[in-house]
Every structure is written in C-alpha cells, then in structure tokens.
Amino acid sequence: MNTSVKIAEGLILKNPVLSASGTFAYGEEFSEIFDLSLLGGIVTKGLSLKPKKGNPSPRVFETTGGMINAIGLENIGVDAFVIEKLPFLGQFNAPVIVNFFGNEEEEYELVAARLDVDGISALEMNVSCPNVKKGGIEFGKDPNTLLSLVSRVRRATSKTLFVKLSPMVKDIREMAIAAQEAGADAITCANTIPAMAIDETTQRPVLGNITGGLSGPAIKPVALKLVWDVHQCVHIPIVASGGINTYHDVIQFLLAGASAVEVGSASLRDPLCFIDIIEGTKAYLKEHSIQSVTELVGKLII
Amino acid sequence: MNTSVKIAEGLILKNPVLSASGTFAYGEEFSEIFDLSLLGGIVTKGLSLKPKKGNPSPRVFETTGGMINAIGLENIGVDAFVIEKLPFLGQFNAPVIVNFFGNEEEEYELVAARLDVDGISALEMNVSCPNVKKGGIEFGKDPNTLLSLVSRVRRATSKTLFVKLSPMVKDIREMAIAAQEAGADAITCANTIPAMAIDETTQRPVLGNITGGLSGPAIKPVALKLVWDVHQCVHIPIVASGGINTYHDVIQFLLAGASAVEVGSASLRDPLCFIDIIEGTKAYLKEHSIQSVTELVGKLII
Amino acid sequence: MKDVRGTVCNNTKVADDTFLLSLDCDLPDSRPGQFVMVKVACGYEPFLRRPFAILSNHKQTLEILYKVKGRGTQLLAEKRPGDILSILGPLGNGFSVPEEKRQVVYVAGGTGLPPVLSLAEDLKQGVLIFGAQSKDQIPLMSRISSLPGVELKVATEDGSYGFMGLATDLLDELTGNARGPVSIYACGPKGMLLATSECARRTGSRCELSLEEFMSCGFGVCSGCVVETIHGNKRVCRDGPVFDAQDILF
Amino acid sequence: MKDVRGTVCNNTKVADDTFLLSLDCDLPDSRPGQFVMVKVACGYEPFLRRPFAILSNHKQTLEILYKVKGRGTQLLAEKRPGDILSILGPLGNGFSVPEEKRQVVYVAGGTGLPPVLSLAEDLKQGVLIFGAQSKDQIPLMSRISSLPGVELKVATEDGSYGFMGLATDLLDELTGNARGPVSIYACGPKGMLLATSECARRTGSRCELSLEEFMSCGFGVCSGCVVETIHGNKRVCRDGPVFDAQDILF
Ligand SMILES: Cc1cc2nc3c(=O)[nH]c(=O)nc-3n(C[C@H](O)[C@H](O)[C@H](O)COP(=O)(O)OP(=O)(O)OC[C@H]3O[C@@H](n4cnc5c(N)ncnc54)[C@H](O)[C@@H]3O)c2cc1C
Ligand SMILES: Cc1cc2nc3c(=O)[nH]c(=O)nc-3n(C[C@H](O)[C@H](O)[C@H](O)COP(=O)(O)OP(=O)(O)OC[C@H]3O[C@@H](n4cnc5c(N)ncnc54)[C@H](O)[C@@H]3O)c2cc1C
Ligand SMILES: Cc1cc2nc3c(=O)[nH]c(=O)nc-3n(C[C@H](O)[C@H](O)[C@H](O)COP(=O)(O)O)c2cc1C
Ligand SMILES: Cc1cc2nc3c(=O)[nH]c(=O)nc-3n(C[C@H](O)[C@H](O)[C@H](O)COP(=O)(O)O)c2cc1C
Ligand code: FES
Ligand code: FES
C-alpha cells in the first residue's frame, strides 16, 4: 500500500496529511508529544518580513462546530525563523512547507527570496492579506491582482510554491486558474471564512479585532465544495484545508480532488489526531483494497 | 416595551422575528402548531413563474452544526400560490413577504408583476440563481448584474422589495450598495453558503444535486460578519439570515445592524422556536431596560 | 401535530443493536403508520431530529422500536429512565383501513417492523412476514407471536431462524396460494419494497408501502424528503410515509 | 505533556456550582500552577478542550476543582464515576519556589483557588487568603483549614463568612504588618490580580500571578491566549500561566 503523493518534482509527501499554518507554530510544541517525522509535511506559522505583534486579545472564540481566530498573523519574522526555528525542523524526516505573507507585492517577494534556503521544501503563500497599496483589498479577492502577485513570487523563489486561496470570493475557480497560470505548483484550498462573534451581555464584539476567521468542522462542507470546484479547472495538485478532523474527511477531500490535506483546528483540540488520521487513512485503503492514495484523487463517482 | 420595527413605509413588523424562505413552505403546516399571527412576518417558499420540480433526492444532509440542502427551488409556481395559498395566509395578522426568483431578468420581472396583488406586504428577491442567459453565473455575484436586475424588478412592483444576497461573493458591501441604488427597500443578508457532502463508503456525493447550500448554527458567525459589513455601507434596513436559533442570536444580529431576522433551519428542528425566540427577545429588552428593539440596531459597542 | 415532552420509562435492548423505548407522553391520538420526530440531544449535535414510527400510542405511553445506526440513534440508546425528550407528532398519513373480506398480509424488513406491527396490533388479523438477516436481528418475537388473530412467519437470510430466504419469497408463496383478494402493507429496505410492489401488481393485490427518506423537518415544510410518484413529487413526511404502491416511481 | 485517559473516580459538589473531580490517570509529574486541557465531550460540542488547574497529582490521581460557568463545565459536572476523559498535560510553567526566609502569602479569588491551594499544599507554610462573594461559594474549607503550616483567612463580599470585604483588603493588612520580605502567589479575577500586584509593588514584595485567558490549544501553538508583558506578547498557556507580576502590562 502506497500512501505517498507527489506534489511537484521536488516534493513527495510520504502521506497526504500535513499540519496547517498557524495551528502548529514552528513545530516545537508538537514535537514533545509525537514524532513529527510521521507527518506528510510540516506547514509552519505564516511569516512576514519583520516580526509581527498581531491583534489584541481576546483572539479566539469557540462557535458551533468550530472556532473563530483573530491572531492577526503574529509571528517572529522571517529572519528569526531561518536562524532559530529552521534548524530544529531539520531534525525530522518530513518536508517543511513555510507559510508566508506580505502587505504589498514587494514584501511577498522579499520574504520568498529570504526563504530560498536549504531545509525548506516548499513555500505556501497566504493571499488573504490586505494589499496596503490598494486600499486594503485582499490580494486573494481578484484574479488579476493574484496573477501579478504570484508571478512576482514565482520569479523570486526556486522552491515548490503553494498558493493558499481565500474561500470568500466570487468564484474560486478563477482564482485557482490565475494562481496556476502564474506558476504555482499547488493550490491550498482554502483559508478561514471571515466571521464575527458578539457578546450580547456586554453588547461588544468578543474578539479584540472585532472580526476573525472561522475554522473547524463547521466549515468542512464549504471547503469540500471549494476543492471540488477547483478540481474542475486546474491540473496542479490541490491541498485541502478546512474542517478536516478524521480520516473520513481525508478520504472525502481526496475524492473531491485534493492530493493532500492540512489539519488545523482539529490539532488544537487533539494534538495526536494526526496519528489517528494517518492510521485511519491507511486502514481505509486496506479495507477497500486500494493500492495507492493517488487512486482516490478526484475519483468521486457521479 | 416596543418590539416593532419599521422596514419601509408600508411595512411595520410587530416584532423582528420572521420565518425564512424554504423552511416555512406556504405556512399551512406551521399553522397547525402555532398561531402565525405571533410572527413578525411570514416569508414564503421561493416562487418561479412556472411550477418547478426541483432536484433529485437525497436533498438534505446533516452536517456539524447545520445542514446542506439541495431542494432545487421546488415550488408550485406563482399562479398557484396566488390562487391556492395566499387566501390562507390572509387569515393571519402578520405581513406576508413572498420570496421569488427567475432564471433570467425577464422572469424575475414577470413574477414580481404577478405578485403585485393584495395580501402581499413585500417581495423578497432571491438573487442566488443562475442567469441562464449569461452562462449560468449567479445574478448575485456581480454588482452590475445585480443593479440591472433589481432596477427592472423595482419598476415592476409597487411592493416593498427585499433583496436577499448571496454570501459567497468578493465583497458583500458592493452587492448591498448595488441593491440599494437600484431601489431595494431592504437587504436580506444572506442566503446559504455553497457546500457539498461526500459519502466515502460509496465514494459518491450524498446529494442528488452533488452540491447544495449550508445553513444552521455552523454559519452564524459568517452571517453575523456579513450583516456587520453591510451595515457599514447602506442606510436601508437589513434583515439577517443564517444560523439564528435563539434570542441570543437575535440580539447579536440586531447589534450588528439588522432590523429583523429570519429563522430558517432552526424551525425545521423546532417548529415552536419562534415563540421562544420572540419571548426571549422581549425578556432581554426588559432585563436591560431597553424601550424599543430599534434602540439595539447597529449599536454594537466598539 | 404537537411538540410534547416525553419522559423515558424504559429503553431496553430487544435484539442486536435494537431497542424498545417507552415514553410517558401526551401525544395526540395516532394511527398505525404515523411517526414522530424525536430530538435526541439538547444542543446542536446532531442538529436535526430523527424520525421513528409510532409502534404504539395508548394511555399516555408512546412506544418506539429503533435500531442503532449512527450517532443520533446511539445517543437515543444512552437515554435512561427519567430523561426527557422532545417529541413532535403524530406526523404523516398512516395506513388506510383494509376493505372487509380482504386477506391482510404485512411485510416487514429490518427496521421496517414498527409501522406494520403497529397496524397488525390494531387490526388483529392477517399474516405478518418479517424478514431479517439472522436470528439475533429479530426483536419482540414473543410479543408478535402472542398477537391474537395474527400469524407470524419469519424469513432469515442465513436461515438461522424460520424460512431461509427473503420475506418476499414468503410473500410470493402466500399471495400465490391466496383464495380471495389480498391487501399488503409493507415497510422495509428499498429492494424489499420493490419486490413487494411487483408481487402486488402480478397478483392484483392492493398494496401500501411505508417509505423512508432522510428528513430534516418531518412535517412537510422543507421538501427535503420527496419521492417521485405518478402524481409528481410527494413529500414522504407529509403526503406519506404510506403510499399506494402503484403510485411510486421506483 | 501527554494526552492521557482519565477515569472519573469522583465528581462531587463541594460548593455552589463548584465540583471536585478526581480522576484515575497516569499524568506525568507536575508542579503547582500547571494545568491540564480536558476534553469534556467526544463530539464537536463543544469543539475545544477546557483548561483547569491541577489541584493535585499524586499516585495516579488527578484532582480538579471547577465551577460550572457554561456548557463545557456543565457537561463536566454530568460525568459519573467510570466515565473516561481525555486529559492533556501537564501544561504551562507553574509557580517558582520561594526563597528561604520569605513569608509566603497566597491570594485566591473564586475559581482562582486551585493553583494556589496546590502550591500551599506543596509548601506547607504561609497564609492563604481566599476571597469569595459569599459563604456558599467557599469550597474545601475543612481541607484547607486542616493544612499543616498554612493559615486560612477568608473574606466574603457580603460578610457571610470571615472578614467582610475583599481578599486584597486582607492582603494589604498582612503585607503592611509583615516583618520580613514577602512572596505573594495569586490567582483570581483581573481586578484582584491588579490590586495584588499594586500591593506587591508598594510593599516591595515578590509576586507571581497565575493568569487566565480563553484558550484554544493550551500548549502554545495557536497564539490565541497572549497577554502583553514588558517582554512583548506572551502565551498564557505556554510562557505562563504564572508570570511575575512586574512583567504584566495590565
Ligand atoms: C418515516 C420514518 C420512520 C422511521 N421509523 C423508524 C423506526 O421505527 N425504527 C428505526 O429504527 N428506524 C426508523 N427510521 C429510520 C431512522 O430514522 C434512522 O435510522 C435514523 O434517523 C438514523 O439516525 P442516526 O443519527 O443514528 O444515523 P445517521 O448518522 O444520521 O445516519 C445513518 C445513516 O444514514 C445515512 N444518511 C444520512 N443522511 C442521508 C442522506 N441525506 N442521504 C442518504 N443517506 C443518508 C448516513 O450516511 C448513515 O449511513 C425511520 C425513518 C423514517 C423516514
Ligand atoms: C490556565 C487556566 C486554568 C484554569 N483553571 C480553572 C480551575 O482550576 N477551575 C475552574 O473552575 N476554572 C478554571 N479555569 C477557567 C475555566 O477554564 C473556564 O471556566 C471554563 O473553560 C469555562 O468553560 P465553559 O464551557 O463552562 O464556559 P463557556 O461556555 O466556554 O464560556 C464561559 C464564559 O466565558 C466567556 N468566553 C468564552 N470565550 C471567550 C473569549 N474568547 N473571550 C472572552 N470571553 C469568553 C463566555 O462568554 C462565557 O461567559 C481556568 C482557566 C485557565 C485559562
Ligand atoms: C489559530 C489559527 C491561526 C491561523 N494562522 C494562519 C496563518 O498564519 N496563515 C495561514 O495561511 N492560515 C492560518 N490559519 C488558517 C489555517 O491554516 C487553516 O487554513 C484553517 O484554519 C482551516 O482549516 P481547519 O478547519 O482545519 O482549521 C490559521 C488558523 C487558525 C485556527
Ligand atoms: C430546506 C431549505 C430551503 C430553502 N429554500 C430557499 C428558497 O426557496 N429561497 C431562498 O431565498 N432561500 C431559501 N433557503 C435559505 C433560507 O431561507 C435561509 O436564508 C438559510 O437557510 C440561512 O438561514 P438558517 O441558517 O436560519 O437556515 C432555504 C433553506 C433551506 C434550509
Ligand atoms: S422532511 Fe421536510 S418536507 Fe419532509
Ligand atoms: S491557547 Fe494556543 S497558544 Fe495558548
């Protein structure tokens, strides 16, 4: 039985189960509880050029079947990551996929260039960030903006490049096509859904940042649809993100067209869920006499 | 204590709690279990020019904190509604708000015109329908398309006009502004979120239509954010829809900027929830010494 | 239809994964074939109610016979005497009363037993054919056997009890040998209903089927549970669950 | 940190809405001030674990003292002996050991009792000031009173027990009269911690505060629980929950 999937020439995952950005920090804490070499890949917290302080507290709130976060992309910055965190991640036998973002095209480019170092297998661009030069509209909202941004980043790095899309767009397909056209090697589909919580006793927003992003099982049906849509229109691999909690979810996302999945919020509640998910996936393959994970990708029977 | 809210010149709701389209049919079934006169308003199933058969079964699927439906807008058609259902609804002391849709601009116009009859207090346009003349892209995805559509319908009817937006757009604010500019009296915010379910044991989609729309508590945080966004940019009233289950939700949506709310999926599981929600809202007002519901609208403390 | 509170009196295992739940509750009078929507949890997990046939509803006591399939029925199986459930019902149309002088045959497969058993307990006549996979899957044997006027015939697929084969094999035999007109009442898996309906057509029997579809509301407002009939889409929860077999487009 | 299974031994009400839970579980050794993340339900309702201080953790027995606040703690209160919970821990840093010759004062308000009580049971010295709204809100009185070497002082806001007023009033008095250097260990509502920290500054006492923030992971990966300190943002779950009072920017 073969659980490995090839995402790009330089990137073969031993299994399709990755961590997700922002729910795995830089790997250190999780390494205390399981061997990170078991993972298909390690996706790290989103990095910016300079360290970022993030949003005021409260930053997280639980909702029905999920949670809203408004961390505000707090991170140690790309330099500190390369110097302080990357060597640690090098110990494990799992590709390191570094999530990053910027506030303008140039910052994306600079961060990507700075991450073109050994020990990193791929970059994941978070395009759900406001473009400060364009009045704060997210890069991931318009296909032309995205095409231009991804093209610049593509030229700035030799690494395998994932583009992580925003879910809340007019048509995710045109975004995926733009990313592919600009040279992305894979599409991560998708980020959290914009959301909000209000405490009616105080009559105030719950989160320090007022709004945040919804994740967890609540959004799984939405993410599944997005992956299915993207699968209809691109030929590069899709990495699914959104509400993956069990191996059932993994199989469903593979069938919808994903080649791999990222597990985010689920690992906040259950740090060992990765192991259950990987084992469950293997057991499913065995039970259904499927030789290779890749046989399932996009094979939804209509 | 005053629970009434004014939506337009001709439309004052005795309380801000309405039924939602597609979860209340034409009112007959619910009338067996409670007095519909208690409602702030009755929103009926979406009507088309001709009767519509809808999608193949299965049509509904439960998900974490919600459900996906792919009913496919099955309805009896506008003529049968006016003749067979409207007289029944006339018995109750609650405004009747008729949801409708079309497959092209002209159909919307014709349905609206046909509904310009006594016994109907307002129309609610569902714009989450594919525009068959424009390659099947939803009317509610593009502000110019929406502006043109709503303008035509506006001319076709003398009724109070709600425009019910799609949640999955680039920026809900530009859609709300377009609707307002075209003469809408209120914005219903918002419809279900596109979603999908897969059964990994059969490797098939669960729903006959493959994809459907997600509703229920799972989407509440998303709907709340959309209402908050829309509230920043329009001056016409907002009617909230999405995951409203309790009076807590009602107060939260009012604070975010809604003048009234629609209760959909919650009433499928609990047909009597309307009464609890209305009573709970009153109790909240009393407890907080608030004279009128309208004092809460948009009064989120930042 | 009313939304009533039911207090669990008993919730006992009566066969493999199968439980008999009795509730103290003030449900309005119902007819065999009608059902209730049960809220199995207070929160939103699961979000929707679950439909169950009314096995009996007399003197403030409601009986439900159910099989554990997923988490909803699992939660139900965890209920203890004294727990309170919200019950919406009675819902749906129920079986029609057979014309006089007709021989009555009930056909039930698996979890399709409750509605037809309810009818048999009401009519106190006829033959009840019950099909199951094996002996361990047969609930309420002694209750059914001791029903006055009703004869029980059991078919098991593995032959561990009664006739080895399908319930519909027994039905074919019975209708083949019948001397007068027959009325068939059936509930069970789709394949069984199809075969039953075929048999009825062949033998010119009257035949009513109680259908199952996944339901969200259960009282007719969402159109989530439709089935195609010769009269167009019909809601299983409101226009059924009992339909004339001739009307169904399988 | 390990994810261990805990079997409920006891889950008893010890004050208004307050329960003492003891679990049979193989949690690694811990220090006072550390905490665990408890999964209160198997499904997704609620989705996240809940943080609770470790009251004690000896000989395979873990004790948690908790107050019912919302649905998570409500579900916990419904657990019965034999039920199994998933426990992640020990988490966080815990209190530091006081230097010799220092007078130790513990200040606890409401649900802030467990971490400081845990420390008092460990150090077996000092004065424990506990503040509550009223008498009914005071748990484990006899256990605390009988602690060797520890003196208990209670303040209730309504005066129904002990001193009428705030815990920090008692603290002010105590530190005012103290003859040598004092080490203060506090956990409780924000206002209490602020006043405690003020008092420590005024009197030149060492002071450690155990903070609470809403947590999603509890082990440092999400940055959901940060607090501002003079050293920048710190994660309450990982860099705390115990902080030097001087570092916190209230
Ligand atoms: C009118 C009626 C009467 C009934 N009477 C009885 C009775 O008396 N006794 C009894 O035991 N059962 C009865 N049932 C069946 C019973 O309602 C189900 O077994 C129960 O709802 C299962 O709930 P669950 O939460 O345990 O399972 P779930 O976890 O909800 O699912 C069980 C199975 O159904 C599948 N499923 C769920 N939704 C769909 C969908 N939309 N399309 C296709 N498959 C789906 C799931 O994948 C799973 O395999 C009746 C059903 C109906 C409609
Ligand atoms: C390190 C640590 C140790 C603790 N130790 C103990 C202990 O030993 N004993 C004890 O009783 N309690 C302790 N607590 C508090 C305990 O964790 C909470 O009371 C518990 O999680 C409440 O869960 P619930 O589901 O019952 O309430 P919930 O329903 O989750 O909420 C309770 C209240 O918190 C509010 N709330 C929820 N999320 C947020 C947010 N993001 N921002 C602001 N408000 C929010 C809700 O609105 C509600 O008022 C500790 C907390 C921490 C962080
Ligand atoms: C606390 C938190 C922090 C996150 N931070 C990032 C981030 O820095 N960059 C990013 O691209 N996505 C971030 N995400 C999004 C997740 O990587 C993931 O795409 C999303 O949560 C949906 O998956 P899930 O439902 O499995 O959590 C974050 C999510 C959470 C919950
Ligand atoms: C079964 C079902 C059918 C629906 N049919 C319609 C419809 O015909 N027209 C429409 O505008 N919205 C329709 N909706 C959307 C609801 O009116 C509502 O906007 C949505 O479900 C979100 O609210 P909720 O979470 O309270 O259900 C339907 C929703 C459901 C669940
Ligand atoms: S389940 Fe809603 S109409 Fe039948
Ligand atoms: S709760 Fe996740 S970092 Fe503290």
Side-chain angles (χ1 to χ4, degrees):
Chain A
M1 188 177 48
N2 184 356
T3 56
S4 79
V5 287
K6 180 174 165 182
I7 300 294
E9 272 318 314
L11 185 61
I12 293 169
L13 311 176
K14 73 172 112 24
N15 68 58
V17 183
L18 316 178
S19 65
S21 181
T23 51
F24 209 77
Y26 312 105
E28 293 144 328
E29 297 82 2
F30 271 98
S31 75
E32 290 173 20
I33 196 164
F34 77 94
D35 176 6
L36 305 193
S37 301
L38 293 169
L39 289 175
I42 299 169
V43 182
T44 56
K45 176 68 190 169
L47 297 173
S48 48
L49 195 56
K50 300 272 160 261
K52 200 167 184 297
K53 193 161 176 274
N55 290 326
S57 287
R59 290 176 161 193
V60 285
F61 185 69
E62 192 185 45
T63 65
T64 303
M67 58 180 283
I68 314 180
N69 89 79
I71 308 299
L73 296 168
E74 173 171 355
N75 75 91
I76 58 170
V78 66
D79 288 328
F81 173 78
V82 171
I83 296 161
E84 294 165 24
K85 305 295 181 182
L86 196 51
F88 173 82
L89 291 169
Q91 299 171 60
F92 305 101
N93 176 26
V96 174
I97 298 153
V98 181
N99 185 288
F100 73 101
F101 66 96
N103 286 316
E104 36 181 289
E105 287 198 357
E106 204 193 350
E107 187 178 348
Y108 273 95
E109 207 173 39
L110 290 170
V111 181
R114 182 71 187 87
L115 290 169
D116 216 352
V117 296
D118 279 358
I120 294 178
S121 296
L123 302 186
E124 181 178 65
M125 280 177 75
N126 172 1
V127 299
S128 306
C129 296
N131 182 347
V132 293
K133 287 215 174 141
K134 290 275 172 60
I137 300 172
E138 278 178 35
F139 289 98
K141 288 281 190 181
D142 172 68
N144 292 326
T145 312
L146 187 68
L147 185 80
S148 149
L149 177 68
V150 177
S151 302
R152 273 182 82 163
V153 171
R154 174 70 291 173
R155 285 191 296 270
T157 179
S158 63
K159 302 283 178 194
T160 296
L161 183 63
F162 294 26
V163 175
K164 182 170 182 180
L165 300 178
S166 307
M168 203 52 138
V169 293
K170 182 179 168 186
D171 185 351
I172 192 100
R173 291 170 300 184
E174 46 181 37
M175 307 309 297
I177 290 168
Q180 173 176 276
E181 213 175 299
D185 297 299
I187 303 289
T188 306
C189 182
N191 219 314
T192 53
I193 304 181
M196 182 173 183
I198 290 173
D199 180 345
E200 76 279 5
T201 60
T202 61
Q203 307 191 340
R204 291 176 188 277
V206 171
L207 297 171
N209 187 54
I210 306 178
T211 64
L214 184 64
S215 61
I219 69 166
K220 190 196 91 173
V222 178
L224 201 57
K225 161 77 160 66
L226 293 170
V227 166
W228 171 246
D229 282 351
V230 170
H231 176 66
Q232 314 299 305
C233 69
V234 298
H235 55 76
I236 55 177
I238 301 167
V239 179
S241 166
I244 294 149
N245 273 259
T246 66
Y247 79 89
H248 303 276
D249 301 326
V250 175
I251 307 300
Q252 293 166 18
F253 275 97
L254 293 173
L255 290 166
S259 295
V261 305
E262 295 180 358
V263 179
S265 310
S267 64
L268 299 179
R269 78 194 288 258
D270 259 327
L272 294 178
C273 73
F274 293 105
I275 295 165
D276 297 341
I277 292 173
I278 293 167
E279 290 310 314
T281 304
K282 285 183 189 160
Y284 178 94
L285 295 177
K286 196 168 163 195
E287 196 190 323
H288 290 75
S289 310
I290 297 168
Q291 297 305 312
S292 163
V293 162
T294 54
E295 284 174 41
L296 286 169
V297 177
K299 292 296 159 52
L300 189 67
I301 305 168
I302 299 294
Chain B
M1 189 176 45
N2 184 356
T3 57
S4 79
V5 286
K6 180 173 167 183
I7 301 293
E9 273 318 314
L11 184 62
I12 293 169
L13 311 176
K14 73 171 111 24
N15 67 58
V17 183
L18 315 178
S19 65
S21 180
T23 51
F24 209 76
Y26 311 106
E28 292 143 329
E29 297 82 1
F30 271 98
S31 75
E32 290 173 21
I33 195 163
F34 76 93
D35 176 6
L36 305 193
S37 301
L38 292 169
L39 288 175
I42 299 169
V43 182
T44 56
K45 178 70 191 165
L47 298 172
S48 48
L49 196 56
K50 300 273 160 261
K52 198 166 185 298
K53 193 162 176 275
N55 290 327
S57 287
R59 290 175 161 195
V60 285
F61 185 67
E62 192 185 45
T63 65
T64 303
M67 57 180 285
I68 313 180
N69 88 80
I71 308 300
L73 296 167
E74 173 170 354
N75 76 91
I76 57 172
V78 67
D79 287 328
F81 172 79
V82 171
I83 296 161
E84 293 164 25
K85 307 294 180 182
L86 197 51
F88 173 82
L89 290 169
Q91 299 171 60
F92 305 101
N93 175 27
V96 174
I97 298 153
V98 181
N99 185 288
F100 73 102
F101 66 96
N103 287 315
E104 37 180 289
E105 287 198 356
E106 204 193 351
E107 188 179 347
Y108 273 96
E109 207 174 40
L110 290 170
V111 181
R114 181 72 185 88
L115 290 168
D116 216 351
V117 297
D118 280 356
I120 294 178
S121 295
L123 301 185
E124 180 178 65
M125 281 176 75
N126 173 0
V127 299
S128 307
C129 295
N131 183 346
V132 292
K133 287 215 176 142
K134 291 274 172 63
I137 299 173
E138 278 177 37
F139 289 99
K141 288 279 189 182
D142 172 69
N144 292 326
T145 312
L146 187 68
L147 185 81
S148 150
L149 177 69
V150 177
S151 302
R152 272 182 82 163
V153 171
R154 174 70 293 172
R155 286 190 295 271
T157 179
S158 63
K159 301 283 178 194
T160 297
L161 183 62
F162 294 26
V163 176
K164 183 171 182 180
L165 299 179
S166 308
M168 205 49 139
V169 293
K170 182 178 167 186
D171 185 351
I172 193 99
R173 290 170 300 184
E174 47 182 37
M175 307 308 298
I177 291 168
Q180 174 177 278
E181 212 175 299
D185 298 299
I187 303 289
T188 306
C189 182
N191 219 313
T192 54
I193 304 181
M196 181 174 184
I198 291 173
D199 181 345
E200 76 279 6
T201 60
T202 62
Q203 306 192 339
R204 289 177 190 276
V206 171
L207 298 170
N209 187 53
I210 306 178
T211 63
L214 185 65
S215 61
I219 69 165
K220 191 196 92 175
V222 177
L224 201 57
K225 162 76 161 67
L226 292 170
V227 167
W228 170 247
D229 282 350
V230 170
H231 177 66
Q232 313 301 305
C233 69
V234 299
H235 54 76
I236 56 178
I238 301 167
V239 179
S241 166
I244 294 148
N245 273 259
T246 66
Y247 79 87
H248 303 277
D249 301 326
V250 174
I251 308 299
Q252 293 167 19
F253 275 97
L254 293 173
L255 290 166
S259 295
V261 303
E262 295 181 0
V263 178
S265 309
S267 64
L268 300 179
R269 79 194 288 256
D270 259 326
L272 294 178
C273 73
F274 293 107
I275 295 164
D276 297 340
I277 293 174
I278 294 166
E279 290 311 313
T281 304
K282 285 184 188 158
Y284 178 95
L285 295 178
K286 196 167 164 196
E287 195 190 322
H288 290 75
S289 310
I290 297 168
Q291 297 306 313
S292 163
V293 161
T294 53
E295 285 174 41
L296 286 169
V297 177
K299 293 295 159 55
L300 188 67
I301 305 169
I302 300 294
Chain C
M1 142 171 91
K2 265 176 77 179
D3 187 4
V4 298
R5 285 156 59 95
T7 309
V8 175
C9 304
N10 248 301
N11 192 16
T12 332
K13 190 164 180 168
V14 292
D16 261 15
D17 293 329
T18 305
F19 292 75
L20 180 64
L21 170 68
S22 72
L23 295 152
D24 179 2
C25 83
D26 202 9
L27 196 73
D29 282 345
S30 59
R31 330 169 16 146
Q34 288 192 297
F35 68 100
V36 289
M37 293 291 285
V38 179
K39 206 201 261 186
V40 294
C42 320
Y44 300 141
E45 190 171 29
F47 181 60
L48 300 169
R49 292 180 187 239
R50 296 292 186 262
F52 298 100
I54 296 170
L55 173 59
S56 77
N57 175 26
H58 307 296
K59 302 192 189 131
Q60 293 242 43
T61 302
L62 171 69
E63 277 188 314
I64 290 170
L65 178 70
Y66 65 96
K67 184 157 183 167
V68 173
K69 288 266 177 79
R71 49 194 187 145
T73 43
Q74 181 55 50
L75 282 169
L76 203 55
E78 288 164 16
K79 300 293 171 197
R80 299 279 158 268
D83 286 351
I84 288 170
L85 294 168
S86 161
I87 311 278
L88 184 71
L91 301 166
N93 56 1
F95 293 105
S96 64
V97 179
E99 291 151 47
E100 298 236 351
K101 299 243 184 85
R102 280 198 169 245
Q103 192 182 332
V104 175
V105 183
Y106 316 91
V107 189
T111 57
L113 180 62
V116 299
L117 175 55
S118 168
L119 183 64
E121 291 191 340
D122 205 51
L123 298 179
K124 299 188 183 64
Q125 56 159 303
V127 182
L128 194 159
I129 305 174
F130 182 61
Q133 283 192 304
S134 71
K135 197 182 164 185
D136 321 325
Q137 310 267 333
I138 313 175
L140 308 187
M141 276 291 283
S142 60
R143 172 163 167 175
I144 307 173
S145 321
S146 61
L147 253 181
V150 178
E151 186 190 342
L152 172 66
K153 287 180 189 279
V154 176
T156 52
E157 289 178 41
D158 65 359
S160 54
Y161 192 89
F163 172 77
M164 177 163 168
L166 300 176
T168 45
D169 297 339
L170 290 178
L171 176 68
D172 287 340
E173 197 187 306
L174 207 79
T175 47
N177 299 337
R179 280 194 233 137
V182 178
S183 275
I184 306 172
Y185 299 93
C187 185
K190 273 223 167 107
M192 194 198 90
L193 296 186
L194 188 58
T196 302
S197 152
E198 279 300 319
C199 165
R201 201 188 38 75
R202 253 190 347 260
T203 59
S205 310
R206 269 198 46 71
C207 177
E208 288 188 348
L209 307 177
S210 180
L211 304 187
E212 291 191 5
E213 263 300 326
F214 190 82
M215 294 181 173
S216 46
C217 72
F219 57 100
V221 297
C222 76
S223 292
C225 63
V226 298
V227 65
E228 285 200 69
T229 75
I230 54 171
H231 309 297
N233 279 345
K234 292 287 169 195
R235 296 161 300 180
V236 171
C237 70
R238 183 88 180 181
D239 307 315
V242 178
F243 292 92
D244 193 315
Q246 297 183 329
D247 293 355
I248 303 300
L249 300 173
F250 278 102
Chain D
M1 135 172 98
K2 267 176 77 180
D3 187 3
V4 298
R5 286 157 57 95
T7 310
V8 175
C9 305
N10 248 300
N11 192 16
T12 332
K13 190 163 179 169
V14 291
D16 260 16
D17 293 330
T18 305
F19 292 75
L20 179 64
L21 170 67
S22 71
L23 296 153
D24 180 2
C25 84
D26 203 7
L27 195 72
D29 282 345
S30 60
R31 328 167 21 144
Q34 288 192 296
F35 68 100
V36 290
M37 293 291 285
V38 180
K39 207 200 257 184
V40 294
C42 319
Y44 300 141
E45 190 170 29
F47 182 60
L48 299 170
R49 292 180 186 236
R50 296 292 187 262
F52 298 100
I54 296 170
L55 174 57
S56 76
N57 176 28
H58 306 296
K59 302 192 190 135
Q60 293 242 42
T61 302
L62 172 68
E63 279 188 314
I64 290 170
L65 178 71
Y66 64 96
K67 183 154 185 172
V68 174
K69 288 267 176 78
R71 51 196 185 143
T73 42
Q74 181 56 50
L75 283 169
L76 203 55
E78 287 164 17
K79 301 293 171 196
R80 299 279 160 268
D83 286 352
I84 288 170
L85 295 169
S86 161
I87 311 278
L88 183 71
L91 301 165
N93 56 359
F95 293 104
S96 64
V97 179
E99 292 151 45
E100 297 237 352
K101 302 241 182 90
R102 279 198 171 246
Q103 191 181 333
V104 175
V105 182
Y106 316 91
V107 188
T111 57
L113 180 63
V116 298
L117 176 55
S118 168
L119 184 64
E121 293 192 338
D122 205 50
L123 297 179
K124 299 188 182 64
Q125 56 159 302
V127 182
L128 195 159
I129 305 174
F130 181 61
Q133 284 193 301
S134 71
K135 198 182 164 186
D136 322 325
Q137 311 268 334
I138 313 176
L140 307 188
M141 276 291 282
S142 60
R143 172 164 168 173
I144 308 174
S145 321
S146 62
L147 253 180
V150 178
E151 185 191 343
L152 172 66
K153 286 181 191 278
V154 176
T156 53
E157 288 179 40
D158 65 359
S160 54
Y161 193 88
F163 172 78
M164 177 164 170
L166 301 175
T168 44
D169 298 338
L170 290 179
L171 176 68
D172 288 340
E173 198 186 305
L174 206 77
T175 46
N177 299 337
R179 277 191 238 139
V182 178
S183 276
I184 306 172
Y185 300 92
C187 186
K190 274 227 166 103
M192 195 199 90
L193 296 186
L194 189 58
T196 302
S197 153
E198 280 299 321
C199 166
R201 199 186 41 73
R202 254 193 341 264
T203 59
S205 309
R206 270 197 46 70
C207 178
E208 288 189 348
L209 307 177
S210 181
L211 303 187
E212 290 190 5
E213 261 301 325
F214 190 81
M215 294 182 174
S216 46
C217 71
F219 57 100
V221 297
C222 77
S223 292
C225 63
V226 298
V227 66
E228 286 200 69
T229 74
I230 53 170
H231 310 296
N233 279 344
K234 292 288 167 193
R235 296 161 301 180
V236 170
C237 70
R238 184 88 179 181
D239 307 315
V242 177
F243 292 92
D244 192 315
Q246 297 183 329
D247 293 355
I248 304 299
L249 299 172
F250 277 103

